[in-house]
Amino acid sequence: MKGRSHAEGEFRIADARLAALAILGMCNQTYQWFRPGGSRTAHEVARYFYDTLLDGIGIGQRGRD
């Protein structure tokens, strides 16, 4: 997480270790609440996580496809 982009100031992360733990927690706990056939599809959840992750570390629209 703390590679070249972080060193160049592309990411706005004050604590890379805490950010990594937050991301892992977000992804690793999904199985506890996600239900196929529920209010959101797996693709919708994945897209939301992706957007939240990129916005949260400061990439925003610049680094997206």
Side-chain angles (χ1 to χ4, degrees):
M1 178 87 105
K2 198 171 182 180
R4 187 178 74 220
S5 294
H6 185 266
E8 293 172 357
E10 188 172 334
F11 299 151
R12 60 167 195 258
I13 299 174
D15 186 332
R17 182 177 184 279
L18 185 56
L21 291 171
I23 293 164
L24 289 171
M26 179 175 69
C27 296
N28 289 336
Q29 297 301 312
T30 305
Y31 78 93
Q32 291 188 350
W33 56 265
F34 178 76
R35 298 291 179 261
S39 62
R40 297 189 187 260
T41 66
H43 183 265
E44 289 172 328
V45 172
R47 186 65 201 200
Y48 183 84
F49 281 11
Y50 174 80
D51 290 342
T52 299
L53 169 64
L54 293 186
D55 289 341
I57 63 174
I59 292 178
Q61 294 296 325
R62 294 179 304 164
R64 294 189 189 178
D65 309 345

